[in-house]
């Protein structure tokens, strides 16, 4: 294009912009009056109304009459004509001129108005209004003024808006999306935006506008062409994943508008589902079949191909840690021999994203503060996946100087001494977070609830040292102003409050608050517990809100089960662990099997006379058939529990009275068994000291339970059975990775008869079975009578159990267990011996069923004797280890 032409176009553009910004100049000439009457007052009213309307509207500038009065001097109003108007208008720089005639007759009064465009030298519009009298005429002036204004600004009003072509989408729904309204000025720009808005509704394939001219203005018709609706959705090619599962990840519904963007998103969702199921090479396409009824059938076509397992995970750029060490950090793992059991070899993108965070944390915890983990590259064929993870390690940093500053109330040296972060050691963010929590806890235990500990770091990249300063702002001491409890519709407030280690008015103590939560949780009455604190009426006051969600604590259960000892078992159990909402426990149980019968009534008051002393009793009747004899026992006990320490340790005292009868002794039974035939009475006192810090009674994940017990029978207590039994037990739980738990238990026991009397056969130690050494028949481990070969039990026992517990069905509360057991009972003349322990390994399933904790376990006898089975199944409903 020629340079001069460009300059001209640019000049015209500037002129247009400038013109668009300038006002339209209008001059209004005096009206010519045709009337035999004096109607000057009407003329003035008309002039004032027209001028006021035009001046109030944007874009109009009225040229004052005073500026051209000189041109009209000496000219009669009857002599004003078109030539004169054009001449004066051109000289005054006007764009438009308005001139008219007011005529009054006996029957009516009429106003005629003409508008001239000065540069065109012609009239562009003529208007008139007429009325029977002046009032009727004046009432029409506003409408006339608006018509003149629209002519001047070269605009028209929208008189009507309608919609055509829509069948499913209502007119009002479409009109709600547009800016143009009836009565608005006609604007091409606004209508273009309205077309976009209607199209963006997603319901239409095309949107157009039809404009119809009318005497009053413009009629606008939006013409739409609707997209087809989805009549049916079909899925083909899915063999390994159910149609219902695919439908769960799609959000297209029948009778909705066909939306190709949504279809593409649903294709991605289906592909993601297949990737999560190991089908990384799956392909998803779709076909749309259009029907004459403006409907469509959507068909998803799936090609599953083969499952793809992770063949290799490779790290690139790592120098400090090997591929194997980094693979141990992440959850994503390559396929292995036990993949069918562990689920390894499956790639899930969300898990892989989390793994990248784990890798970053791992490096930062080992001093690599500049670590950068790149986006994993995933290469897959029909059935194999290879993952490459780029790593930029940076340098390893160590701890330089360590200091504490701010509001110190504890000695700096004492605080520094307890820190895990030590000068010269590798910088570890995990230890740093633990140290921040440790300092914070020390302050909160003194009542400073809002203590803020900020780690300030100074990094020297040349020396690769990080100087660390803990900045402490302790704030004020804070007191508990109020403790509110909600959600306990059945449980009484005091049942919860007596478990709290903090009271209203106490200083804030985070440790005691945490312990309070644990104690309320261990009650077992609630499925949800929430402790929330908020500021009270002053800065040094705090409110504690405890919200609980109660769970059913009463059970009535009937059942039939199977035991390796009793075979078929019938059970009935009625229990209430929160009787009347007072925290009392009442249970009635009956169990009847092929070789045993058991009946029990028990009651426990955990806070006797509102003190932390527990009290209770049991009444029972038991019958059991052993291999060589039957035992019947009936009796009861009274028990008390006393707190020894504030947290975990209690002492239990139990007095028991039991009447025992031994009968149905086999002829070839051991002599020691025959000597026990008949009735005997046991009166005993048992002292048990227990420290229990487990986080749960049924399925613990951490903590320990340690106990030592002493039972003394006979003597000053009376009865016919005189003996002493001592036992010690220690059980520990350690949480490991992936919600798994490691458990270890050791038990040692000793018993002897007193005052020259034999230890009763039923008080001796017998091992084997569910709660001692699995893989052996119940009561099958222990000293044997040399003549009859009967198991006669020992006066000493030693048991070791190791378990690895892992979730099977997490939501259902089903757990799996792998175990190793070792134990034996030793005769009176023998010593404890690790060499003589019987051993087994095995696995099992555990479930907290409505009838109580259920265990099904299989044990393998590692070194069976000639008369022993290689393995045994055990089943029980009752308490865990």
């Amino acid at each position: 294009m020629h340079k001069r032409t460009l300059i001209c176009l640019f000049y015209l553009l500037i002129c247009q912009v400038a013109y668009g910004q300038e006002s339209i100049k209008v001059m209004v000439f005096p009206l010519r009056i045709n009337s035999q009457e004096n109607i000057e007052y009407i003329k003035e009213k008309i002039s004032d109304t027209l001028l006021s309307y035009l001046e109030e509207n944007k874009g109009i500038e009225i040229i004052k009459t005073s500026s051209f009065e000189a041109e009209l001097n000496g000219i009669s109003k009857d002599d004003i004509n078109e030539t004169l108007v054009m001449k004066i208008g051109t000289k005054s720089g006007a764009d438009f001129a308005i001139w008219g005639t007011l005529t009054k007759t006996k029957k009516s009064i009429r106003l005629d108005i003409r508008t001239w465009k000065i540069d065109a030298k012609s009239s562009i519009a003529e208007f008139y209004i007429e009325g029977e009298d002046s009032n009727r005429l004046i009432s029409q002036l506003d409408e006339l003024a608006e018509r003149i204004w629209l002519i001047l600004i070269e605009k028209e009003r929208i008189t009507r808006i309608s919609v055509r072509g829509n069948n499913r989408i209502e007119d009002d729904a479409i009109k709600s999306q547009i800016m143009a309204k009836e009565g608005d000025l006609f604007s091409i720009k606004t209508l273009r935006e309205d077309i976009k808005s209607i199209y963006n509704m997603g319901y239409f394939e095309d949107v157009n506008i039809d404009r119809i001219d009318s005497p009053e203005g413009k009629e606008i018709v939006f013409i739409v062409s609707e997209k087809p609706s989805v009549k049916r959705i079909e899925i083909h090619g899915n063999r390994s994943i159910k149609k219902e599962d695919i439908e769960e990840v799609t959000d297209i519904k029948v009778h909705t508008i066909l939306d190709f963007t949504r279809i593409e998103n649903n294709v991605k969702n289906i592909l993601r589902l297949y990737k999560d199921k190991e089908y990384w090479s799956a392909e998803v396409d779709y076909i749309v079949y259009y029907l004459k009824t403006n409907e469509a059938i959507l068909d998803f076509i799936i090609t599953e191909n083969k499952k793809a397992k992770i063949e290799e995970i490779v790290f690139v750029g790592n120098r400090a840690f090997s591929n194997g060490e980094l693979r141990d950090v992440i959850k994503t793992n390559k396929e292995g021999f036990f993949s069918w059991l562990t689920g390894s070899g499956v790639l899930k993108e969300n898990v892989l994203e989390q793994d990248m965070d784990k890798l970053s944390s791992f490096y930062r915890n080992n001093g690599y503060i500049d670590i950068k983990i790149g986006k994993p590259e995933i290469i897959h064929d029909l059935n194999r996946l290879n993952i490459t993870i780029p790593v930029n390690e940076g340098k390893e940093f160590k701890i330089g100087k360590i200091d504490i500053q701010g509001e110190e109330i504890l000695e700096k040296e004492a605080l520094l001494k307890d820190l895990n972060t030590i000068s010269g050691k590798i910088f570890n963010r995990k230890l740093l977070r633990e140290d921040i929590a440790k300092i914070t806890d020390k302050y909160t235990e003194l009542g400073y609830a809002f203590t803020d500990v900020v780690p300030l770091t100074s990094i020297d990249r040349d020396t690769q040292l990080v100087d660390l300063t803990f900045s402490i702002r302790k704030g004020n001491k804070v007191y508990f102003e109020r403790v509110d409890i909600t959600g306990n519709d059945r449980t009484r407030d005091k049942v919860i409050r007596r478990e709290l280690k903090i009271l209203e008015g106490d200083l804030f103590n985070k440790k005691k608050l945490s312990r309070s939560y644990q104690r309320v949780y261990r009650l077992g009455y609630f499925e949800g517990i929430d402790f929330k604190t908020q500021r009270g009426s002053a800065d040094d006051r705090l409110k504690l809100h405890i919200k609980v969600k109660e769970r059913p604590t009463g059970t009535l259960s009937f059942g039939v089960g199977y035991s390796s000892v009793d075979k078929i078992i019938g059970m009935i159990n009625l229990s209430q662990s929160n009787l009347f909402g007072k925290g009392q426990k009442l249970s009635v149980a009956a169990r009847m099997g092929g070789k045993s019968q058991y009946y029990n009534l028990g009651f426990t008051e955990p806070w006797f006379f509102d003190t932390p002393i527990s009290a209770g009793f049991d009444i029972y009747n038991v019958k059991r058939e052993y291999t060589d004899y039957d035992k019947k026992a009936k009796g009861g006990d009274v028990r008390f529990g006393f707190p020894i320490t504030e947290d975990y340790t209690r002492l239990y005292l139990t007095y028991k009275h039991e009447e025992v009868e031994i009968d149905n002794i086999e002829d070839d039974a051991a002599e020691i068994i025959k000597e026990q035939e008949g009735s005997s009475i046991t009166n005993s006192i048992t002292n048990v000291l227990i420290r229990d810090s487990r986080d749960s009674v049924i399925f613990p994940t951490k903590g320990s339970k340690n106990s030592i017990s002493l039972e003394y029978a006979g003597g000053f207590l009376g009865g016919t059975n005189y003996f002493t039994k001592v036992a010690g037990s220690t059980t520990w739980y350690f949480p490991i990775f992936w919600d798994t738990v490691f458990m270890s238990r050791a038990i040692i026991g000793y018993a002897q008869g007193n005052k020259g009397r034999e230890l009763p056969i039923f008080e001796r130690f017998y091992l084997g079975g569910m709660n001692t050494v699995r893989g052996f028949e119940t009561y099958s481990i222990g000293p044997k009578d040399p003549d009859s070969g009967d198991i006669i039990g020992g006066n000493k026992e030693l048991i070791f159990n190791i378990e690895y517990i892992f979730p099977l069905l997490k939501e259902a509360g089903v757990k799996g267990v792998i175990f190793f057991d070792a134990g034996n009972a030793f005769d009176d003349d023998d010593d404890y011996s690790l060499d003589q322990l019987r051993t087994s390994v095995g696995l099992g399933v555990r479930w907290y069923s409505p009838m109580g904790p259920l265990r099904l376990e299989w044990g393998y006898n590692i070194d069976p004797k000639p008369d022993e089975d290689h393995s045994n199944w055990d089943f029980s409903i009752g308490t865990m280890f």
Side-chain angles (χ1 to χ4, degrees), residues 812-876:
V814 180
K815 298 180 180 292
V817 60
I818 300 173
F819 62 82
F820 169 80
D821 293 341
N824 207 341
F826 305 95
D827 207 350
D828 300 28
D829 299 328
D830 296 330
D831 294 327
Y832 295 100
S833 174
L834 295 177
D835 295 337
Q836 296 182 29
L837 296 182
R838 308 301 308 279
T839 56
S840 66
V841 295
L843 49 83
V845 177
R846 295 176 180 176
W847 174 43
Y848 190 26
S849 73
M851 292 187 295
L854 180 149
R855 297 170 63 184
L856 175 62
E857 296 171 8
W858 172 83
Y860 177 78
N861 186 342
I862 294 177
D863 186 18
K865 295 182 178 181
D867 58 343
E868 293 177 338
D869 294 329
H870 282 272
S871 64
N872 268 285
W873 285 93
D874 286 296
F875 171 84
S876 75

Side-chain angles (χ1 to χ4, degrees), residues 459-607:
I459 302 173
D460 189 331
R461 300 191 181 279
D462 294 330
T463 61
Q464 295 172 224
L465 291 175
V466 179
D467 292 338
L468 180 62
T469 301
F470 294 94
S471 177
I472 302 173
R473 188 176 62 83
K474 62 180 178 59
N476 298 322
K477 282 190 174 184
V478 178
Y479 298 82
F480 284 105
E481 178 181 43
R482 186 173 176 179
V483 178
D484 295 322
I485 302 174
T486 59
N488 55 319
D489 299 328
R490 183 172 59 255
T491 305
R492 302 191 182 189
D493 262 27
K494 77 171 187 177
V495 172
I496 300 173
R497 289 184 185 274
R498 67 195 184 191
E499 300 297 331
L500 302 180
K501 307 304 291 183
I502 46 96
L503 300 173
E504 292 169 348
D506 285 356
L507 267 174
F508 178 88
N509 189 307
K510 185 178 179 181
K511 184 177 180 180
K512 288 185 176 181
L513 191 63
S514 176
R515 179 63 180 143
S516 297
Y517 178 91
Q518 187 180 19
R519 285 171 62 93
V520 174
Y521 174 76
R522 280 171 59 90
L523 288 174
Y525 307 154
F526 312 109
E527 63 182 53
I529 303 171
D530 186 25
F531 276 39
K532 283 187 178 179
T533 58
Q534 80 175 67
R535 291 185 182 269
S537 58
D539 290 341
D540 63 344
R541 294 292 182 266
L542 201 65
K543 292 180 181 179
L544 173 62
H545 297 281
I546 301 175
K547 185 178 181 180
V548 299
K549 183 179 180 181
E550 293 184 313
R551 63 156 49 113
T553 55
T555 60
L556 173 60
S557 57
F558 302 87
V560 177
Y562 177 84
S563 167
S564 56
V565 176
D566 292 305
K567 308 307 177 185
I568 301 297
I569 305 173
M571 295 166 285
I572 179 172
N573 184 65
L574 171 63
S575 67
Q576 174 56 263
S577 60
N578 189 14
L579 191 64
F580 307 122
K582 296 181 178 181
Q584 299 167 335
K585 298 177 178 61
L586 175 67
S587 65
V588 180
R591 185 178 301 175
M592 294 152 284
K595 294 186 177 182
S596 67
Q597 295 178 9
Y598 170 81
Y599 306 95
N600 185 82
L601 169 65
F603 175 80
T604 302
E605 167 58 73
W607 283 70

Side-chain angles (χ1 to χ4, degrees), residues 9 33 44 131 163 193 249 253 269 329 332 377 380 390 405 414 441 452 596 618 625 658 673 699 725 760 813:
L9 289 174
I33 298 177
E44 295 297 329
V163 182
E193 294 299 321
V249 301
K253 306 299 180 184
N269 292 342
V329 174
T332 303
E377 181 185 1
H380 63 87
Q405 66 180 23
D441 287 347
D452 190 18
S596 67
D618 294 287
E625 296 179 11
E658 181 178 79
I673 297 175
F699 286 129
K725 294 181 77 170

Side-chain angles (χ1 to χ4, degrees), residues 710-723:
L710 170 65
E711 181 180 8
Y712 177 80
F716 69 95
L717 297 173
T720 58
N721 295 319
Y722 285 30
F723 62 88

Side-chain angles (χ1 to χ4, degrees), residues 759-813:
L759 183 65
I761 191 72
F762 46 83
E763 295 293 347
R764 297 178 72 84
F765 297 113
Y766 299 85
L767 276 60
M770 182 65 77
N771 294 314
T772 55
V773 183
R774 289 157 286 191
F776 293 81
E777 296 244 351
T778 304
Y779 311 133
S780 67
I781 299 177
K784 292 184 178 182
D785 181 78
D787 297 326
S788 65
D790 295 330
I791 304 293
I792 58 173
N795 75 325
K796 293 177 283 292
E797 70 173 354
L798 189 61
I799 304 170
F800 299 98
N801 305 106
I802 295 175
E803 292 185 346
Y804 176 67
I805 306 165
F806 53 92
L808 284 178
L809 300 173
K810 191 171 182 180
E811 293 182 0

Side-chain angles (χ1 to χ4, degrees), residues 614-669:
S614 63
F617 67 85
D618 294 287
I619 301 172
Y620 57 87
N621 192 326
V622 180
K623 179 182 178 181
R624 175 170 290 280
E625 296 179 11
Y626 293 92
T627 305
D628 297 301
Y629 63 95
D630 295 345
K631 173 190 173 185
K632 298 175 184 177
K634 59 182 179 179
D637 60 52
V638 178
R639 40 193 164 75
F640 296 91
F642 305 89
I644 301 300
T645 63
E646 189 176 359
D647 290 328
Y648 305 114
T649 308
R650 292 180 71 86
L651 174 66
Y652 294 90
L653 299 178
T654 303
Y655 171 77
K656 179 179 73 173
H657 173 79
E658 181 178 79
E659 298 177 6
V660 181
E661 182 179 351
I662 303 295
D663 59 8
N664 293 331
I665 299 176
E666 296 290 335
D667 294 337
D668 57 352

